[in-house]
Amino acid sequence: MLKSMLSSIITKHFKKKLDGLTIKEEDIAEVLREIRIALLDADVNLLVVKNLIKSIKEKAVGQMVQPGQDPQAIFLTIVKDELTNILGQHDAPITTNKTFINVMMVGLQGSGKTTTCAKLANWYQQKHQKKVLLVAIDVYRPAAIEQLQTLAKEINVECFARGTQDPVVTADEAYTYAKQNGFNVVIYDTAGRLQTNQALMDELKHVRNKINPDEIIMVVDAMSGQNIIDVATTFNQALTLSGFIITKLDGDARAGAALSLTALLNVPIKLVGTGERIGSIDQFHPSRMAERILGLGDILTLAEKARDVVDEGQMKKIFTRMLSGKINLDDLLVLITQMKKMGPMNMIMGMMPGALQQKVSGANLEEAEKKIDNYTILMNSMTLLERRNPALFKKEPNRKMRVIKGSGKKPEDFNKLLNEWERMRDQMAEMGKMIRAGKNPLAGMM
């Protein structure tokens, strides 16, 4: 998210020992200057940056450092706490505990609003077992209604649409239909514009007054520039927003302007979209986001995502086989399939601690994903017998030629797959021996 991880900036400036027992202004002047530059480079709003730097300085200057305490850790904690305050202090979950929930989604065209409506519907359905109705009232953008209908089919929820009928009338009819047919959640995909205008706001006000929503959520693209602050202000003044959903918040997004919204408008970020998949939407946690900005990673969210999409029992069996040196190509295929459910590699790496990100920063993630895709195609071209007994390829070379031809891949791709599988098998077997012997297999690796 930030090209220069704040933790590395702090580490660099706290290598030297403090002259006294307290942190003085001159001890942190340079580090604050670099943090300011890094935040502005990430497009964080200038007023937000000024307030943040001021609050960090007020908390840090005069802070006692007891013998044996690490001043770097003290300062890092202060920065994290102040970042968390800027991002919202506390979690602000979207409404889930009512028997009937009305959610009005607003935003500009191009923010990912319609796709986010479907993601939210799937989130309510899968995580909270709600019966969800999607309502198509964007009658201006070409194919917006068709897009929502297609997405609704994909996640197996109903979509209420009345073509180009007055959106206010459609919203009212959908509300009545949902009440009569036992729906728990109704999500209204309202019209977006390329920019705000009075006609749009008037229509949205009429819809709001008709359906009396529990949530009015503005969808914001993480890559939006500073103009999004004025846009969000206009929406908030007209509708009184209850929250934001930030889309495309992956490892490459600068996101500073979007993440400034809560501090400027006092409207919380409730959910974030982290990829293109329907399931890639998560609750927003200010403290975890502060840790990501600092380069400390977001392992908790990554673990939750894994828990949601990965078959725990299947993974335990595979890791048991790995540590005993018995992993075969069928295990590898299952492992890759399960891991890919978590999202693209750049998103996963964005949640890793900064030190680990730096270790792989030179690696070409796109090339790595391409290689994994090649291996998946090759393994899917094999029979189950071949995947479970790869030695057959050496005994019967014609099997290898059939797989290469059937997959459309090159012989060198096939050979790389077998070589990497064998290397993984041997390394994991060695790691298993060390664990059984009571030794730390990771000692000296980090």
Side-chain angles (χ1 to χ4, degrees), residues 141-304:
R141 180 170 67 87
I145 294 174
E146 290 82 356
Q147 181 189 0
L148 191 66
Q149 289 173 325
T150 300
L151 290 167
K153 287 181 181 177
E154 185 179 334
I155 60 174
N156 196 30
V157 304
E158 188 174 343
C159 181
F160 188 97
R162 290 293 183 267
T164 57
Q165 175 179 279
D166 182 346
V168 181
V169 175
T170 302
D172 187 35
E173 291 176 353
Y175 180 91
T176 302
Y177 177 81
K179 282 281 191 178
Q180 292 174 344
N181 289 275
F183 287 92
N184 308 120
V185 179
V186 188
I187 299 172
Y188 302 82
D189 181 23
T190 67
R193 298 286 197 281
L194 294 177
Q195 59 186 16
T196 58
N197 58 56
Q198 194 57 48
L200 165 65
M201 290 304 167
D202 287 344
E203 179 180 288
L204 293 176
K205 286 179 185 177
H206 291 318
V207 171
R208 178 199 61 186
N209 295 340
K210 183 64 69 174
I211 65 173
N212 190 27
D214 300 282
E215 298 273 4
I216 304 177
I217 302 292
M218 181 176 175
V219 180
V220 176
D221 187 330
M223 298 303 290
S224 300
Q226 289 295 312
N227 67 307
I228 195 61
I229 293 168
D230 291 334
V231 172
T233 299
T234 301
F235 272 101
N236 190 43
Q237 288 173 344
L239 301 169
T240 311
L241 299 172
S242 63
F244 296 105
I245 295 179
I246 310 297
T247 63
K248 307 173 191 174
L249 194 65
D250 57 26
D252 298 323
R254 292 167 76 207
L259 293 174
S260 302
L261 290 171
T262 293
L264 293 169
L265 302 181
N266 196 30
V267 176
I269 300 170
K270 298 209 166 188
L271 295 162
V272 291
T274 53
E276 296 180 2
R277 294 176 174 84
I278 285 293
S280 58
I281 188 168
D282 302 301
Q283 184 176 330
F284 181 76
H285 302 278
S287 62
R288 297 185 193 178
M289 182 56 65
E291 290 178 349
R292 282 183 65 184
I293 291 172
L294 281 167
L296 304 178
D298 189 359
I299 298 300
L300 285 175
T301 297
L302 190 61
E304 288 173 0

Side-chain angles (χ1 to χ4, degrees), residues 57-120:
K57 184 189 291 187
E58 289 175 351
K59 295 289 194 313
V61 173
Q63 177 71 43
M64 292 290 295
V65 181
Q66 301 295 336
Q69 279 191 308
D70 182 2
Q72 175 186 316
I74 292 172
F75 188 72
L76 197 62
T77 299
I78 291 171
V79 175
K80 182 201 164 187
D81 289 345
E82 296 310 309
L83 269 175
T84 301
N85 289 339
I86 290 291
L87 294 167
Q89 295 187 6
H90 307 293
D91 293 357
I94 199 166
T95 304
T96 58
N97 58 357
K98 295 179 66 176
T99 55
F100 188 81
I101 303 167
N102 254 348
V103 182
M104 182 177 170
M105 303 284 275
V106 302
L108 296 181
Q109 281 188 21
S111 62
K113 176 171 55 60
T114 298
T115 302
T116 302
C117 286
K119 287 184 177 183
L120 182 59

Side-chain angles (χ1 to χ4, degrees), residues 4 27 55 65 250 257 265 284 299 314 318 333 343 400-401:
S4 178
D27 294 322
S55 60
V65 181
D250 57 26
L265 302 181
F284 181 76
I299 298 300
Q314 197 172 40
I318 290 175
L333 179 60
K400 173 180 174 179
M401 299 310 299

